Amino acid sequence: MGEPTRLKMIAERLNLSESTISRALNNYKDISAETKTVVRKMAEQLDYEPNIHAKRLASGKSETIGYVMPIQSNQVTGQFINKLMAGIAKALGKYGWDLCVIAPQTPDEEIRIFKKIARTRNISGLVITRTLSDDHRFALLKRLGVPFVSHGRSSDSKESAWLDVDNELAFFEMTTHFVKLGHKHIAHIGGPRDYNFARQRKNGWVRGLKSSGIKAPLSYEEMTELTFDGGKEAMQRLLEAEVPPSAVCCISDVVAIGAMQALREKGIRPGQEVSIIGYDGLELGAWLDPPLTTMHQPLKLAGEKLAKMLLNIVESGGLPLNNQELVRASLVRRETANAPLSNWPPIRKDSGKP
Amino acid sequence: MGEPTRLKMIAERLNLSESTISRALNNYKDISAETKTVVRKMAEQLDYEPNIHAKRLASGKSETIGYVMPIQSNQVTGQFINKLMAGIAKALGKYGWDLCVIAPQTPDEEIRIFKKIARTRNISGLVITRTLSDDHRFALLKRLGVPFVSHGRSSDSKESAWLDVDNELAFFEMTTHFVKLGHKHIAHIGGPRDYNFARQRKNGWVRGLKSSGIKAPLSYEEMTELTFDGGKEAMQRLLEAEVPPSAVCCISDVVAIGAMQALREKGIRPGQEVSIIGYDGLELGAWLDPPLTTMHQPLKLAGEKLAKMLLNIVESGGLPLNNQELVRASLVRRETANAPLSNWPPIRKDSGKP
DNA sequence: GAGTCAACCGAAAACGCTTTCGGTTATGTG
DNA sequence: CACATAACCGAAAGCGTTTTCGGTTGACTC
């Protein structure tokens, strides 16, 4: 391949100084339009590509952003992560920035890595996901002065940059959708309250019930890990309620799939006796039996948006405050959410009613 | 946070030269053991972290490897990519190397990016996945002199580094497993022959049949895209065979899920009239109705291995030839693969038999 | 016609490390 | 005791950019 082109070579060919070449290529305003075009043409011709390390050393900027992979990636968050990353990488690519994957194995390691980034500045900014309601990372990164954007809010995110889905609205809509179908016994399988979105979604359900004038017994609020197993067990508990629900708002598709399993094992048909709606919009849901009704959020687009926000902050000095955006999820109608059956909920033999 | 520690500061405190410090920290052999420990202690104490850009500029090494995301990432390869990446990042992290995500939007862009990497050397090596039987990338990267390892072989991979699952063996075992269960009508839904693993898997099926003395009509070999839809359509075609199969070896779990859908729509029960085995070992499969029998390969481990191979090549001058490894997949027994039913395959009314 | 001011560009100093080359010491050798 | 030989270490030259600080021009003002 021969030696790569250097600034110096361009300078020699054009009888200009290296500094002029550099400034011409970087579009400084004290270089005449004429020289700029000449320089650019020559750079193009020589296939010039700046040495990125020299550039970063000299400028003190790293042009790299990091994506922090969720630690416990044992779950079917697969789609989630990919699509987000693909979006981020795509957006960054346009500006010649790099996306670096950070995969801490433990929370402690995550902290160490953050501190190291703060010291070395080898990464210009971070994208974090899976935010908790009470997420120490927000304060830590702010304190360390590391620019970041989060996918999801937190109690600490008032002044930082974030992109979030309106989870509460989504679950409000999910709940009222059930109401419109005629349901009166609407339960919720939520996730650990640690996760901010878990709270938001639960609140949406509560608000949906309230605005429809429906009351739900305490037992209708279930909580579980975001796994298939968790969903299954939660559903089993719900079925033991005095009056089992006829509709269930699930915090995620994965949980919903687990819940469907629990129903089947009791001989109950999802979408018949008990309706179910999930959340995430996994394509997979369409291939279940029966296909899972769910709510969808555009993830790749979210990735692009997150990248642009971060770029705005680290490059253009944008304020985190001006980089907050709430997007909407949309209902994907499939076959697990239908009108209630007349013979359900069943009257329990052991119920107190005469 | 104050200014980060520099080599210079350590040198001043210890009354040594910068070069000595550098060599001590990099474990050069012309530095006495004594000085080394002193220097290391001081570095530790001052929380020294080398400026990575300076280091890379001076040494000419980038300490970064790139992972090329499969272009058409619309599929449920989710798990796949993540786990692999998590493994790579984990292994690299131990050596202070970075993992950079490369997400070309088109094949052309992929080529451009490779060429750019070759010129700029801003990435020390690549991990590529989704290899094709006839994959231009192998020759291209070799020609460009960019070190790489592939997850999966190709017709061009004889002399390059790779990690692959023994796909043929896996499908051989899958097929003979069906035979042991008593099946005689065993079909295969394969993928585009472009993919090398698709050929390997088909060959495994063929070999499995042959070694069991079973013959399959031409119509038993189906081919499709690696999608839910593809699996469904392929299964529909199989059901129209003169003698429909009682067992189907599917190239992936996703395809198998699509196939199950096709069965259900015809009122056929997966695992009863028609048995099915998938491939990939997605957890998800356990939550289908009925749970999908499949074959599993350890992906995170694969990622770690790939990273170590690449490090061996770019750092220790290891030969690609010495970095080839074949791993085994293992059968995960669930509920879609059972002994055949006596009333299946059905005798077609329109069959030629009297 | 001296002075002012833009508009352009070059020289040179960073940036923080690695690495070559050579120079001091101690250590052994004839 | 001169001399070669290691064993250690320092000086200094890169690595390829960016960026500061001036220095030339030529046009324009009064």
Side-chain angles (χ1 to χ4, degrees):
Chain A
M1 298 297 294
E3 280 304 290
T5 308
R6 298 284 170 243
L7 224 41
K8 200 176 173 183
M9 305 184 196
I10 305 183
E12 283 167 359
R13 301 236 181 171
L14 295 177
N15 258 325
L16 287 171
S17 74
E18 285 183 54
S19 59
T20 302
I21 309 296
S22 169
R23 278 175 295 182
L25 291 174
N26 289 312
N27 207 21
Y28 274 52
K29 43 186 171 297
D30 62 349
I31 298 292
S32 72
E34 200 178 0
T35 4
K36 277 183 189 170
T37 58
V38 172
V39 169
R40 281 182 193 148
K41 204 170 289 172
M42 181 58 76
E44 175 108 0
Q45 188 185 321
L46 294 182
D47 230 20
Y48 172 72
E49 204 71 56
N51 178 311
I52 215 163
H53 302 124
K55 183 174 185 176
R56 290 173 180 174
L57 171 59
S59 68
K61 296 172 184 172
S62 72
E63 300 190 335
T64 300
I65 80 143
Y67 172 71
V68 184
M69 271 189 126
I71 298 173
Q72 13 38 329
S73 54
N74 295 328
Q75 303 164 23
V76 187
T77 46
Q79 287 289 62
F80 189 89
I81 296 182
N82 282 341
K83 294 206 167 172
L84 209 64
M85 286 192 20
I88 298 174
K90 180 180 170 189
L92 289 180
K94 289 184 193 154
Y95 302 92
W97 282 49
D98 287 338
L99 172 59
C100 213
V101 177
I102 298 168
Q105 304 293 314
T106 66
D108 275 355
E109 196 186 343
E110 187 173 25
I111 295 178
R112 275 202 307 280
I113 292 179
F114 285 178
K115 288 187 176 167
K116 183 173 158 188
I117 290 174
R119 260 184 295 130
T120 66
R121 298 275 152 195
N122 62 330
I123 279 188
S124 307
L126 287 175
V127 177
I128 64 178
T129 49
R130 281 274 162 138
T131 53
L132 309 179
S133 302
D134 205 0
D135 203 319
H136 64 275
R137 296 178 297 178
F138 285 80
L140 177 59
L141 290 173
K142 202 176 300 176
R143 189 163 61 74
L144 293 173
V146 176
F148 70 101
V149 300
S150 64
H151 188 230
R153 283 166 290 177
S154 144
S155 60
D156 257 6
S157 63
K158 311 268 181 307
E159 294 168 9
S160 66
W162 49 259
L163 175 72
D164 202 0
V165 188
D166 195 333
N167 285 296
E168 187 176 325
L169 179 60
F171 273 66
F172 175 82
E173 291 180 350
M174 190 189 286
T175 308
T176 51
H177 180 69
F178 273 138
V179 173
K180 274 180 230 146
L181 288 171
H183 288 276
K184 298 198 170 2
H185 307 278
I186 306 172
H188 172 58
I189 301 180
R193 290 290 177 270
D194 296 343
Y195 292 121
N196 203 45
F197 63 83
R199 297 194 188 190
Q200 295 166 335
R201 294 177 195 180
K202 182 210 139 187
N203 291 342
W205 168 68
V206 169
R207 195 157 63 82
L209 291 179
K210 198 169 288 175
S211 85
S212 310
I214 294 182
K215 283 196 180 132
L218 269 181
S219 61
Y220 274 22
E221 183 189 341
E222 268 298 338
M223 207 162 85
T224 173
E225 290 302 314
L226 304 174
T227 59
F228 294 114
D229 272 304
K232 179 174 176 181
E233 288 161 14
M235 188 72 227
Q236 287 168 338
R237 291 193 295 272
L238 282 178
L239 289 176
E240 282 164 11
E242 192 166 343
V243 181
S246 66
V248 184
C249 300
C250 295
I251 188 160
S252 76
D253 282 348
V254 168
V255 162
I257 292 170
M260 284 170 69
Q261 176 92 320
L263 292 179
R264 274 192 297 261
E265 289 186 0
K266 291 271 188 184
I268 301 169
R269 296 163 297 172
Q272 298 296 317
E273 291 89 349
V274 179
S275 281
I276 294 230
I277 302 184
Y279 186 96
D280 276 343
L282 301 187
E283 282 95 329
L284 163 79
W287 298 88
L288 301 173
D289 179 31
L292 177 66
T293 297
T294 182
M295 299 203 71
H296 173 78
Q297 53 169 317
L299 281 169
K300 191 167 176 187
L301 190 65
E304 293 182 42
K305 284 184 177 175
L306 284 166
K308 282 178 188 162
M309 281 184 178
L310 198 46
L311 280 170
N312 175 259
I313 293 173
V314 301
E315 270 298 278
S316 318
L319 290 176
L321 264 174
N322 298 332
N323 286 280
Q324 301 182 333
E325 185 175 346
L326 203 56
V327 298
R328 278 183 80 137
S330 52
L331 187 68
V332 180
R333 290 167 198 243
R334 294 202 279 241
E335 301 174 25
T336 55
N338 303 303
L341 261 43
S342 55
N343 61 344
W344 187 276
I347 306 301
R348 282 227 187 286
K349 289 159 195 159
D350 56 352
S351 101
K353 299 172 190 172
Chain B
M1 298 295 297
E3 279 304 290
T5 308
R6 298 283 171 242
L7 225 41
K8 200 175 172 183
M9 305 183 195
I10 306 183
E12 283 166 359
R13 301 235 182 171
L14 295 177
N15 258 326
L16 287 170
S17 73
E18 284 184 53
S19 58
T20 302
I21 309 296
S22 168
R23 279 174 297 183
L25 292 174
N26 289 311
N27 207 22
Y28 273 52
K29 43 187 171 296
D30 62 347
I31 299 291
S32 73
E34 201 179 359
T35 7
K36 277 183 189 171
T37 59
V38 172
V39 169
R40 283 183 191 147
K41 203 171 289 173
M42 180 59 75
E44 175 108 0
Q45 189 184 321
L46 293 182
D47 230 20
Y48 173 72
E49 205 71 56
N51 178 310
I52 215 162
H53 303 124
K55 184 174 185 178
R56 290 172 181 176
L57 172 60
S59 68
K61 297 171 184 173
S62 71
E63 299 189 337
T64 301
I65 79 144
Y67 172 71
V68 184
M69 271 189 128
I71 297 173
Q72 14 35 334
S73 54
N74 294 328
Q75 304 163 21
V76 187
T77 46
Q79 287 289 61
F80 189 89
I81 296 181
N82 282 341
K83 294 205 166 172
L84 209 64
M85 285 192 20
I88 299 173
K90 181 180 170 190
L92 290 180
K94 289 184 194 155
Y95 302 91
W97 283 47
D98 286 338
L99 172 58
C100 214
V101 177
I102 298 168
Q105 304 294 314
T106 66
D108 275 354
E109 195 185 343
E110 187 173 25
I111 295 179
R112 274 202 306 280
I113 293 180
F114 286 178
K115 289 188 175 166
K116 183 174 159 188
I117 290 174
R119 261 184 294 131
T120 66
R121 299 275 151 195
N122 62 331
I123 278 188
S124 307
L126 288 174
V127 177
I128 64 178
T129 50
R130 280 276 161 136
T131 54
L132 309 180
S133 300
D134 205 1
D135 204 317
H136 65 275
R137 297 179 295 178
F138 285 80
L140 177 60
L141 290 174
K142 202 176 301 175
R143 188 162 63 74
L144 293 173
V146 176
F148 70 100
V149 300
S150 65
H151 188 230
R153 283 165 290 177
S154 144
S155 59
D156 257 7
S157 63
K158 311 269 180 308
E159 294 167 8
S160 67
W162 50 260
L163 175 72
D164 202 0
V165 188
D166 195 335
N167 285 296
E168 186 175 325
L169 179 61
F171 273 65
F172 175 81
E173 291 180 350
M174 189 189 287
T175 307
T176 52
H177 180 69
F178 273 138
V179 172
K180 274 180 230 146
L181 288 172
H183 287 275
K184 299 199 174 352
H185 306 277
I186 307 171
H188 171 55
I189 301 181
R193 290 292 178 267
D194 296 343
Y195 292 122
N196 204 44
F197 63 84
R199 297 194 187 193
Q200 295 167 335
R201 294 178 195 178
K202 182 210 141 191
N203 291 343
W205 167 68
V206 168
R207 197 158 62 82
L209 291 180
K210 198 168 288 179
S211 86
S212 309
I214 292 182
K215 285 199 179 126
L218 270 181
S219 60
Y220 273 23
E221 183 190 340
E222 267 296 339
M223 209 164 83
T224 174
E225 290 302 315
L226 304 174
T227 60
F228 294 114
D229 273 305
K232 179 174 176 182
E233 289 160 13
M235 189 73 225
Q236 287 168 339
R237 290 192 295 272
L238 282 178
L239 290 175
E240 283 163 9
E242 191 165 344
V243 182
S246 66
V248 184
C249 302
C250 295
I251 189 159
S252 77
D253 281 348
V254 168
V255 162
I257 292 171
M260 285 170 69
Q261 177 91 319
L263 293 179
R264 275 192 298 262
E265 289 186 0
K266 292 269 187 184
I268 301 169
R269 296 162 296 171
Q272 298 297 315
E273 291 89 349
V274 178
S275 282
I276 294 230
I277 301 184
Y279 185 96
D280 276 343
L282 301 187
E283 283 95 330
L284 162 78
W287 299 89
L288 300 175
D289 180 31
L292 178 65
T293 296
T294 181
M295 298 203 70
H296 173 77
Q297 53 168 315
L299 281 168
K300 191 167 176 187
L301 190 65
E304 293 182 42
K305 284 185 177 175
L306 284 167
K308 283 178 188 162
M309 281 184 179
L310 198 46
L311 280 170
N312 175 258
I313 294 173
V314 302
E315 271 297 278
S316 317
L319 289 176
L321 264 173
N322 297 332
N323 285 280
Q324 302 182 333
E325 187 175 345
L326 202 55
V327 298
R328 278 183 79 135
S330 52
L331 186 69
V332 181
R333 289 165 200 245
R334 293 202 278 243
E335 300 174 25
T336 54
N338 302 304
L341 260 44
S342 54
N343 62 345
W344 186 274
I347 307 299
R348 282 228 187 287
K349 289 159 196 157
D350 57 352
S351 99
K353 300 174 188 171

PDB file of all heavy atoms in Angstrom, chain B residues 176-183 275 277 333 337-340:
ATOM      1  N   THR B 176     -29.435 -37.639  13.242  1.00  0.00           N
ATOM      2  CA  THR B 176     -29.410 -38.992  13.816  1.00  0.00           C
ATOM      3  C   THR B 176     -30.247 -39.057  15.094  1.00  0.00           C
ATOM      4  O   THR B 176     -30.771 -40.104  15.446  1.00  0.00           O
ATOM      5  CB  THR B 176     -27.970 -39.448  14.096  1.00  0.00           C
ATOM      6  OG1 THR B 176     -27.309 -38.453  14.856  1.00  0.00           O
ATOM      7  CG2 THR B 176     -27.202 -39.643  12.788  1.00  0.00           C
ATOM      8  N   HIS B 177     -30.372 -37.915  15.762  1.00  0.00           N
ATOM      9  CA  HIS B 177     -31.257 -37.887  16.931  1.00  0.00           C
ATOM     10  C   HIS B 177     -32.684 -38.215  16.492  1.00  0.00           C
ATOM     11  O   HIS B 177     -33.384 -39.016  17.122  1.00  0.00           O
ATOM     12  CB  HIS B 177     -31.202 -36.508  17.588  1.00  0.00           C
ATOM     13  CG  HIS B 177     -32.079 -36.373  18.806  1.00  0.00           C
ATOM     14  ND1 HIS B 177     -31.811 -37.047  19.988  1.00  0.00           N
ATOM     15  CD2 HIS B 177     -33.223 -35.668  19.018  1.00  0.00           C
ATOM     16  CE1 HIS B 177     -32.759 -36.749  20.873  1.00  0.00           C
ATOM     17  NE2 HIS B 177     -33.625 -35.915  20.307  1.00  0.00           N
ATOM     18  N   PHE B 178     -33.097 -37.632  15.416  1.00  0.00           N
ATOM     19  CA  PHE B 178     -34.423 -37.931  14.867  1.00  0.00           C
ATOM     20  C   PHE B 178     -34.534 -39.420  14.508  1.00  0.00           C
ATOM     21  O   PHE B 178     -35.553 -40.061  14.767  1.00  0.00           O
ATOM     22  CB  PHE B 178     -34.681 -37.088  13.612  1.00  0.00           C
ATOM     23  CG  PHE B 178     -35.261 -35.725  13.910  1.00  0.00           C
ATOM     24  CD1 PHE B 178     -34.810 -34.598  13.229  1.00  0.00           C
ATOM     25  CD2 PHE B 178     -36.266 -35.569  14.854  1.00  0.00           C
ATOM     26  CE1 PHE B 178     -35.359 -33.350  13.482  1.00  0.00           C
ATOM     27  CE2 PHE B 178     -36.818 -34.316  15.117  1.00  0.00           C
ATOM     28  CZ  PHE B 178     -36.361 -33.198  14.426  1.00  0.00           C
ATOM     29  N   VAL B 179     -33.473 -39.918  13.914  1.00  0.00           N
ATOM     30  CA  VAL B 179     -33.494 -41.330  13.513  1.00  0.00           C
ATOM     31  C   VAL B 179     -33.667 -42.223  14.735  1.00  0.00           C
ATOM     32  O   VAL B 179     -34.479 -43.153  14.746  1.00  0.00           O
ATOM     33  CB  VAL B 179     -32.194 -41.707  12.768  1.00  0.00           C
ATOM     34  CG1 VAL B 179     -32.140 -43.215  12.517  1.00  0.00           C
ATOM     35  CG2 VAL B 179     -32.105 -40.944  11.451  1.00  0.00           C
ATOM     36  N   LYS B 180     -32.923 -41.889  15.781  1.00  0.00           N
ATOM     37  CA  LYS B 180     -33.026 -42.699  17.004  1.00  0.00           C
ATOM     38  C   LYS B 180     -34.432 -42.660  17.580  1.00  0.00           C
ATOM     39  O   LYS B 180     -34.914 -43.620  18.181  1.00  0.00           O
ATOM     40  CB  LYS B 180     -32.038 -42.177  18.055  1.00  0.00           C
ATOM     41  CG  LYS B 180     -30.639 -42.780  17.919  1.00  0.00           C
ATOM     42  CD  LYS B 180     -29.707 -42.209  18.993  1.00  0.00           C
ATOM     43  CE  LYS B 180     -28.417 -41.720  18.388  1.00  0.00           C
ATOM     44  NZ  LYS B 180     -27.876 -40.542  19.077  1.00  0.00           N
ATOM     45  N   LEU B 181     -35.090 -41.545  17.390  1.00  0.00           N
ATOM     46  CA  LEU B 181     -36.459 -41.426  17.888  1.00  0.00           C
ATOM     47  C   LEU B 181     -37.426 -42.248  17.043  1.00  0.00           C
ATOM     48  O   LEU B 181     -38.588 -42.439  17.404  1.00  0.00           O
ATOM     49  CB  LEU B 181     -36.904 -39.952  17.881  1.00  0.00           C
ATOM     50  CG  LEU B 181     -36.268 -39.051  18.950  1.00  0.00           C
ATOM     51  CD1 LEU B 181     -36.657 -37.599  18.700  1.00  0.00           C
ATOM     52  CD2 LEU B 181     -36.717 -39.478  20.348  1.00  0.00           C
ATOM     53  N   GLY B 182     -36.937 -42.709  15.882  1.00  0.00           N
ATOM     54  CA  GLY B 182     -37.783 -43.546  15.043  1.00  0.00           C
ATOM     55  C   GLY B 182     -38.252 -42.887  13.756  1.00  0.00           C
ATOM     56  O   GLY B 182     -39.058 -43.459  13.018  1.00  0.00           O
ATOM     57  N   HIS B 183     -37.759 -41.693  13.493  1.00  0.00           N
ATOM     58  CA  HIS B 183     -38.232 -40.992  12.293  1.00  0.00           C
ATOM     59  C   HIS B 183     -37.590 -41.540  11.028  1.00  0.00           C
ATOM     60  O   HIS B 183     -36.440 -41.968  11.021  1.00  0.00           O
ATOM     61  CB  HIS B 183     -37.916 -39.495  12.408  1.00  0.00           C
ATOM     62  CG  HIS B 183     -38.805 -38.796  13.395  1.00  0.00           C
ATOM     63  ND1 HIS B 183     -40.044 -38.316  13.069  1.00  0.00           N
ATOM     64  CD2 HIS B 183     -38.623 -38.515  14.714  1.00  0.00           C
ATOM     65  CE1 HIS B 183     -40.603 -37.752  14.135  1.00  0.00           C
ATOM     66  NE2 HIS B 183     -39.755 -37.869  15.166  1.00  0.00           N
ATOM     67  N   SER B 275     -42.191 -33.297  14.201  1.00  0.00           N
ATOM     68  CA  SER B 275     -41.184 -32.862  15.162  1.00  0.00           C
ATOM     69  C   SER B 275     -40.259 -31.823  14.531  1.00  0.00           C
ATOM     70  O   SER B 275     -40.053 -31.818  13.316  1.00  0.00           O
ATOM     71  CB  SER B 275     -40.358 -34.060  15.632  1.00  0.00           C
ATOM     72  OG  SER B 275     -41.079 -34.803  16.587  1.00  0.00           O
ATOM     73  N   ILE B 277     -36.542 -29.460  15.212  1.00  0.00           N
ATOM     74  CA  ILE B 277     -35.402 -29.020  16.019  1.00  0.00           C
ATOM     75  C   ILE B 277     -34.829 -27.766  15.389  1.00  0.00           C
ATOM     76  O   ILE B 277     -34.689 -27.671  14.169  1.00  0.00           O
ATOM     77  CB  ILE B 277     -34.288 -30.098  16.106  1.00  0.00           C
ATOM     78  CG1 ILE B 277     -34.845 -31.393  16.709  1.00  0.00           C
ATOM     79  CG2 ILE B 277     -33.132 -29.594  16.980  1.00  0.00           C
ATOM     80  CD1 ILE B 277     -33.792 -32.482  16.924  1.00  0.00           C
ATOM     81  N   ARG B 333     -32.582 -30.538  24.812  1.00  0.00           N
ATOM     82  CA  ARG B 333     -33.844 -31.266  24.630  1.00  0.00           C
ATOM     83  C   ARG B 333     -34.992 -30.512  25.260  1.00  0.00           C
ATOM     84  O   ARG B 333     -35.006 -30.265  26.463  1.00  0.00           O
ATOM     85  CB  ARG B 333     -33.750 -32.654  25.273  1.00  0.00           C
ATOM     86  CG  ARG B 333     -32.841 -33.595  24.534  1.00  0.00           C
ATOM     87  CD  ARG B 333     -32.518 -34.793  25.394  1.00  0.00           C
ATOM     88  NE  ARG B 333     -31.322 -35.443  24.896  1.00  0.00           N
ATOM     89  CZ  ARG B 333     -31.322 -36.686  24.385  1.00  0.00           C
ATOM     90  NH1 ARG B 333     -32.426 -37.392  24.345  1.00  0.00           N
ATOM     91  NH2 ARG B 333     -30.202 -37.195  23.938  1.00  0.00           N
ATOM     92  N   ALA B 337     -39.311 -32.334  19.757  1.00  0.00           N
ATOM     93  CA  ALA B 337     -38.742 -33.478  19.048  1.00  0.00           C
ATOM     94  C   ALA B 337     -39.090 -34.763  19.797  1.00  0.00           C
ATOM     95  O   ALA B 337     -38.496 -35.066  20.824  1.00  0.00           O
ATOM     96  CB  ALA B 337     -37.230 -33.330  18.917  1.00  0.00           C
ATOM     97  N   ASN B 338     -40.056 -35.500  19.248  1.00  0.00           N
ATOM     98  CA  ASN B 338     -40.502 -36.741  19.887  1.00  0.00           C
ATOM     99  C   ASN B 338     -40.596 -37.861  18.858  1.00  0.00           C
ATOM    100  O   ASN B 338     -40.393 -37.631  17.667  1.00  0.00           O
ATOM    101  CB  ASN B 338     -41.874 -36.515  20.531  1.00  0.00           C
ATOM    102  CG  ASN B 338     -41.841 -35.396  21.545  1.00  0.00           C
ATOM    103  OD1 ASN B 338     -41.043 -35.434  22.488  1.00  0.00           O
ATOM    104  ND2 ASN B 338     -42.657 -34.356  21.340  1.00  0.00           N
ATOM    105  N   ALA B 339     -40.923 -39.025  19.335  1.00  0.00           N
ATOM    106  CA  ALA B 339     -41.089 -40.160  18.422  1.00  0.00           C
ATOM    107  C   ALA B 339     -42.255 -39.875  17.477  1.00  0.00           C
ATOM    108  O   ALA B 339     -43.185 -39.146  17.824  1.00  0.00           O
ATOM    109  CB  ALA B 339     -41.355 -41.433  19.225  1.00  0.00           C
ATOM    110  N   PRO B 340     -42.185 -40.428  16.280  1.00  0.00           N
ATOM    111  CA  PRO B 340     -43.242 -40.163  15.291  1.00  0.00           C
ATOM    112  C   PRO B 340     -44.560 -40.801  15.707  1.00  0.00           C
ATOM    113  O   PRO B 340     -44.584 -41.761  16.473  1.00  0.00           O
ATOM    114  CB  PRO B 340     -42.697 -40.811  14.015  1.00  0.00           C
ATOM    115  CG  PRO B 340     -41.689 -41.805  14.478  1.00  0.00           C
ATOM    116  CD  PRO B 340     -41.120 -41.295  15.747  1.00  0.00           C
TER     117      PRO B 340
END
